[in-house]
Amino acid sequence: MSSKETFDYIVVGAGSAGAAVAHRLSADEKNRVLLLEAGPASHHWSRVPLGYAKLLHNPKANWRYHSEPLANANGRSLYVPRGRMLGGSSSINGTAFVRGQAQDYDSWAQLGNRGWSYQDVLPHFKQMETYEDGGDDEFRGREGPLRVTDPDSSDPIFATVIKAAGQVGVRHNPDYNGASQDGIAMSQATISKGRRMSTAHCYLEPIRKRPNLRIQTDALTEALLLDGKHCTGVRYTVGGTVHEAHAAREVVVSGGSINSPQLLELSGIGQPERLRGLGITVNHALPGVGENLRDHFAPRTRWSIGAKGYTFNDRGRGFGLIAQVLKYALFGKGMFGMVAAPLRAFVRSREGLEAPDLLLGWVPMLYESNPEPKISSQSGMTCYAHPMRPESKGSIHVTSSDPRTQPAIDFNFLSAQVDAELTVIAVRIARSIMTAPALAELQVAELAPGARLETDDEIIDWVKASAETTYHPVGTCKMGSDEMAVVDERLCVRGVEGLRVADASIMPTLTSGNTNAPSIMIGEKAAAMILEDASA
Ligand SMILES: Cc1cc2nc3c(=O)[nH]c(=O)nc-3n(C[C@H](O)[C@H](O)[C@H](O)COP(=O)(O)OP(=O)(O)OC[C@H]3O[C@@H](n4cnc5c(N)ncnc54)[C@H](O)[C@@H]3O)c2cc1C
């Protein structure tokens, strides 16, 4: 053991949420804050948006998890990337910026979580961003640390898909993070001047010299220290040396949806039988730890495009590639500075729904993803399509008392019949847009699932054989007041003092879209509640 220091607050995990928590807590110089991050400070690809493809499988910046073999994915074990560096998954993600719907947060509030309605969380969404483009100031922030922009929409392929969507009744909505989510739009992105806006860059870089903040990288937190039902600190290792740090006020666990439940279980907080079976001393029984796992299970429809010059396949090779490199180097534009899926549509599976329930996202190229993403030699587009609020629930649990052993991830996708039904409808809507008249001039032809697959059963069989996640696991330390809730509405771990969880794992349900913006909002709100409780 090398050191034993005391801080007021210890934050475990410097990802989307944890970086925001540490930023806000250390703004008051009286608060001594320790931020522990298992991964390194940075990676040279993490500032380039297209670096996403280079980091997707990179062990230097990624936990590189795999799921258990999944029954409804034909026994396949799915790849589960997670950021492992300052900024966490915000440093490796696809940079799409999506808040979700007002109804997502209103439903959390209706579950009994006071303070989480859309009206309650809206100020935090506004406070965290500087939206550089249009939008209504009632909904959008202009002074926050995170820079958000609209992508370059000048490529004709985007206008063509928007027009095709309009021909089947999906209207253009320039700001899906504003008054209404409905419709098709260019994807807003955590990109500014061609550079990725991770929480490492936006929340940590500007404050790294604060004397009351210590950011410790390459530091794996192995256990929470408990004195009875009170969390007093953490044990962590750096380069093989064990350290302990004590928290005079609180420990905040922000390790993300996979590592946060893992850390609680390693510390004896979870399902007693399971922990005892692994030789872990039970400190606090909490049956919900690791349960309620939700994610998006998304089939990728694939389309060839006969007309030349429209897709990144045409421009990402030979002289085209050189032109793209120059365009990025000189102007921060083109495919290297682009959000991973530049177009998205939020649509309804049937008339009469209060809000959209399906998400479609377009990538203006074909790519092979096995084992690593590689631009395809054929020219075309990829369009993924899935329900936004799946009801299937899985779990994440430790299988060993060793903190370096990855937990078992069982998504249990399509266990709720409604998810299968909605996925089929989403694929059919993708088809209707891609075969609308506006796209005919690009000579579009369906490659996958393939026009010969028509019945619901045929489509769902193809989904099971090919769908992947869109990397949005949430819910494994869910907020609530029922017996499966892990944290309460103040994000305090139920029955343990001095311990909160603040990251995507606290979401009771999946938000309608991508999860980076909601995770940062959770970090912002957690910090506000911690400061409020400290001054009460
Ligand atoms: C490849 C990929 C693409 C994605 N694309 C998008 C997108 O385009 N748009 C979008 O909105 N969302 C996207 N997401 C999802 C989004 O980025 C995440 O939901 C969000 O970042 C989660 O935030 P978090 O704070 O919960 O966890 P993370 O950001 O993952 O942070 C957790 C941090 O804790 C650290 N940590 C974990 N355990 C320990 C420990 N024991 N000790 C110390 N440190 C620890 C991790 O290394 C990590 O840095 C994507 C995710 C991935 C992986």
Side-chain angles (χ1 to χ4, degrees), residues 12-18 36-39 52 56 63 81-85 87-90 92-98 219-221 254-257 259 263 470-472 503-505 514-517 519:
V12 178
S16 298
L36 294 170
E37 169 53 46
Y52 164 77
L56 196 59
W63 293 86
R82 297 276 90 199
R84 188 172 160 279
M85 61 189 296
S89 298
S90 80
I92 69 162
N93 72 12
T95 70
F97 186 80
V98 182
L220 179 72
T221 303
S254 299
S257 293
N259 296 43
L263 184 58
T470 50
Y471 320 131
H472 300 150
D503 57 28
S505 72
N514 310 51
T515 43
N516 187 36
S519 303

Side-chain angles (χ1 to χ4, degrees), residues 234-422:
V234 300
R235 192 179 69 234
Y236 66 96
T237 52
V238 182
T241 307
V242 181
H243 302 260
E244 279 188 6
H246 286 262
R249 288 186 178 275
E250 293 191 40
V251 173
V252 183
V253 175
S254 299
S257 293
I258 292 164
N259 296 43
S260 286
Q262 177 194 30
L263 184 58
L264 293 188
E265 290 190 335
L266 290 171
S267 310
I269 302 172
Q271 298 170 358
E273 287 306 303
R274 183 183 294 280
L275 300 185
R276 276 192 209 106
L278 296 170
I280 297 171
T281 305
V282 178
N283 287 311
H284 183 62
L286 213 45
V289 175
E291 298 295 324
N292 189 47
L293 170 65
R294 301 168 191 245
D295 201 343
H296 292 130
F297 188 47
R300 273 74 165 167
T301 69
R302 289 159 59 83
W303 306 83
S304 68
I305 292 194
K308 291 290 162 229
Y310 281 92
T311 72
F312 286 176
N313 299 98
D314 293 342
R315 281 178 249 149
R317 283 193 300 270
F319 286 124
L321 183 59
I322 296 167
Q324 288 296 324
V325 172
L326 283 174
K327 192 171 180 183
Y328 183 67
L330 295 174
F331 310 109
K333 292 193 168 167
M335 61 187 276
F336 283 88
M338 191 57 100
V339 47
L343 260 181
R344 61 196 52 235
F346 303 91
V347 299
R348 288 172 171 71
S349 59
R350 59 187 161 84
E351 278 184 31
L353 289 180
E354 193 191 345
D357 57 344
L358 306 176
L359 175 61
L360 277 61
W362 283 266
V363 184
M365 66 173 168
L366 289 174
Y367 55 91
E368 316 302 330
S369 49
N370 254 335
E372 298 197 6
K374 206 174 96 197
I375 189 160
S376 170
S377 55
Q378 189 173 10
S379 181
M381 283 194 99
T382 307
C383 172
Y384 59 82
H386 59 82
M388 291 200 283
R389 299 178 296 278
E391 292 187 11
S392 304
K393 287 182 267 183
S395 65
I396 290 178
H397 290 294
V398 291
T399 58
S400 152
S401 58
D402 177 358
R404 286 170 179 78
T405 303
Q406 89 136 76
I409 303 170
D410 179 3
F411 286 109
N412 202 19
F413 283 133
L414 304 182
S415 53
Q417 178 59 21
V418 64
D419 293 348
E421 289 164 12
L422 291 179

Side-chain angles (χ1 to χ4, degrees), residues 460-476:
I460 209 66
D461 282 350
W462 168 76
V463 169
K464 289 177 179 175
S466 67
E468 299 285 336
T469 93
T470 50
Y471 320 131
H472 300 150
V474 306
T476 48

Side-chain angles (χ1 to χ4, degrees), residues 9 249 490 500 528-536:
Y9 298 102
R249 288 186 178 275
R490 309 289 292 175
R500 300 196 206 217
M529 292 191 295
I530 292 167
L531 293 172
E532 201 175 274
D533 292 351
S535 65

Side-chain angles (χ1 to χ4, degrees), residues 101-123:
Q101 299 167 358
Q103 288 89 339
D104 296 331
Y105 304 98
D106 289 343
S107 74
W108 292 3
Q110 276 166 7
L111 290 170
N113 300 300
R114 272 171 304 165
W116 289 89
S117 74
Y118 188 58
Q119 278 314 310
D120 292 318
V121 302
L122 183 56

